Every structure is written in structure tokens, then in C-alpha cells.
């Protein structure tokens, strides 16, 4: 069993697709084992996306991620990291396969509705960024 972190980003919350995102994960056999809504400060968004600190889009991305509430969740299942990434679709919605979350709801490469960890290492960092051990359901 593998765990990954997924986020419904501020654009996704505004569009009212929190339930739709969760439904797509659950329909694929994945389990939500932790969930909460929060509003990140700019500093918190910068910390979360620290791996992108040298990218040209870092400032704009962290402005966007702190512009409104988000829903963060831990998703568990066999091959959960890859499964969530498949359900989300490509980062750029114009390249996302039909029927994926980003193809259906994203505005552009930045306002792309959802986030999912891209490796076991990033999943570990990202889950710990938002959740304590006690907040993650076991069994
Ligand atoms: P995410 O999967 O959360 O990982 C990093 C985020 O940076 C990505 O989704 C997009 O929201 C954003 N991003 C990635 N590439 C670009 C880009 N070229 N221009 C603007 N934003 C980007």
C-alpha cells in the first residue's frame, strides 16, 4: 500500500469540484485516509513548493496557492502515486488526456485544479507538511 498527497487547489475549490475529485479517486479504488480544508499563507505555499524555488513560475504559483482555501488529502492504495497522477492528467490541461480532472476542469498550466505527489520522496515530505501521524487513519 502506498500513500500520496493530493490537493484540490484554490481554483478547484472555487469551481465546486471538491466532491468530484474525491469521487474520482474513490471510484478508482483509492481510499481517503486524511482530509482537511485550509488556507495557506504565501510563506506556507513557498515552503510547500520549495523544490520549485528557482523556477520562473515560483512567485506566481505561490500567489495562486495562497489566494483561497484548498483541500488537502492523503490518498492510499496500491500504486497510489501513479494512479492519482493518471486520474489528474498532465500538468498542462491542454496536454491532459480526455476524462482526466485537469482536462475537465483546469484553466491553464498554473491553475490546474489538483496536485498530486510525483514520487515516494515527495509524498513523504508533502504528507508531513500538512498532517501529523494522528491525523492519518490506519487499517
Ligand atoms: P503541481 O502538480 O502542483 O506542481 C507544481 C505546479 O506548478 C504545477 O502543478 C502547476 O500548478 C505549476 N506549474 C508547473 N509548470 C508551470 C509553468 N510552466 N507555468 C506556470 N505554472 C506551472
Amino acid at each position: 500500500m502506498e500513500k500520496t498527497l493530493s490537493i484540490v487547489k484554490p481554483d478547484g475549490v472555487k469551481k465546486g469540484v471538491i466532491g468530484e475529485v474525491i469521487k474520482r479517486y474513490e471510484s478508482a479504488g483509492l481510499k481517503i485516509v486524511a482530509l482537511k480544508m485550509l488556507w495557506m499563507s504565501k510563506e506556507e505555499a513557498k515552503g510547500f513548493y520549495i523544490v520549485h524555488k528557482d523556477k520562473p513560475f515560483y512567485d506566481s504559483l505561490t500567489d495562486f496557492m495562497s489566494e483561497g482555501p484548498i483541500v488537502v488529502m492523503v490518498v492510499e492504495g496500491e500504486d497510489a502515486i501513479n494512479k492519482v497522477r493518471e486520474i489528474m492528467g498532465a500538468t498542462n490541461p491542454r496536454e491532459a488526456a480526455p476524462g482526466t480532472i485537469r482536462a475537465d476542469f483546469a484553466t491553464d498550466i498554473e491553475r490546474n485544479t489538483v496536485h498530486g505527489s510525483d514520487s515516494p520522496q515527495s509524498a513523504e515530505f508533502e504528507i508531513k507538511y500538512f498532517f501529523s501521524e494522528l491525523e492519518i487513519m490506519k487499517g
Side-chain angles (χ1 to χ4, degrees), residues 16-24:
V17 298
I18 299 167
E20 181 65 31
V21 169
I22 293 172
K23 193 183 87 177
R24 290 184 187 205

Side-chain angles (χ1 to χ4, degrees), residues 6 8 14 19 40 42 53 67 87 107 109 113 125 129:
S6 185
V8 182
K14 280 178 197 143
M40 286 197 288
K42 171 88 172 171
K53 68 177 169 28
E67 76 175 27
I87 296 165
T107 303
I109 194 166
T113 313
F125 169 80
Y129 200 79

Side-chain angles (χ1 to χ4, degrees), residues 2 4 79-87 117-118:
E2 189 172 64
T4 186
D79 202 22
I81 294 173
N82 284 326
K83 274 189 188 149
V84 163
R85 290 174 69 76
E86 264 173 37
I87 296 165
S117 311
D118 66 3

Side-chain angles (χ1 to χ4, degrees), residues 66-86:
S66 57
E67 76 175 27
I70 60 173
V71 171
V72 292
M73 64 189 98
V74 179
V75 183
E76 185 182 71
E78 202 177 301
D79 202 22
I81 294 173
N82 284 326
K83 274 189 188 149
V84 163
R85 290 174 69 76
E86 264 173 37

Side-chain angles (χ1 to χ4, degrees), residues 11 15 91-93 106-113:
D11 65 313
K15 284 173 186 147
T91 306
N92 186 344
T107 303
D108 56 39
I109 194 166
E110 180 172 274
R111 304 179 75 83
N112 61 358
T113 313

Side-chain angles (χ1 to χ4, degrees), residues 17-96:
V17 298
I18 299 167
E20 181 65 31
V21 169
I22 293 172
K23 193 183 87 177
R24 290 184 187 205
Y25 294 157
E26 290 185 330
S27 300
L30 295 163
K31 209 169 145 187
I32 310 301
V33 294
L35 180 77
K36 62 184 154 192
M37 179 177 262
L38 54 95
W39 189 328
M40 286 197 288
S41 65
K42 171 88 172 171
E43 285 310 308
E44 287 163 345
K46 283 169 82 172
F48 179 74
Y49 280 119
I50 194 73
V51 292
H52 296 304
K53 68 177 169 28
D54 297 324
K55 304 270 173 59
F57 56 80
Y58 185 58
D59 191 47
S60 159
L61 170 65
T62 52
D63 273 348
F64 160 54
M65 288 301 289
S66 57
E67 76 175 27
I70 60 173
V71 171
V72 292
M73 64 189 98
V74 179
V75 183
E76 185 182 71
E78 202 177 301
D79 202 22
I81 294 173
N82 284 326
K83 274 189 188 149
V84 163
R85 290 174 69 76
E86 264 173 37
I87 296 165
M88 292 193 305
T91 306
N92 186 344
R94 284 192 287 178
E95 290 160 14

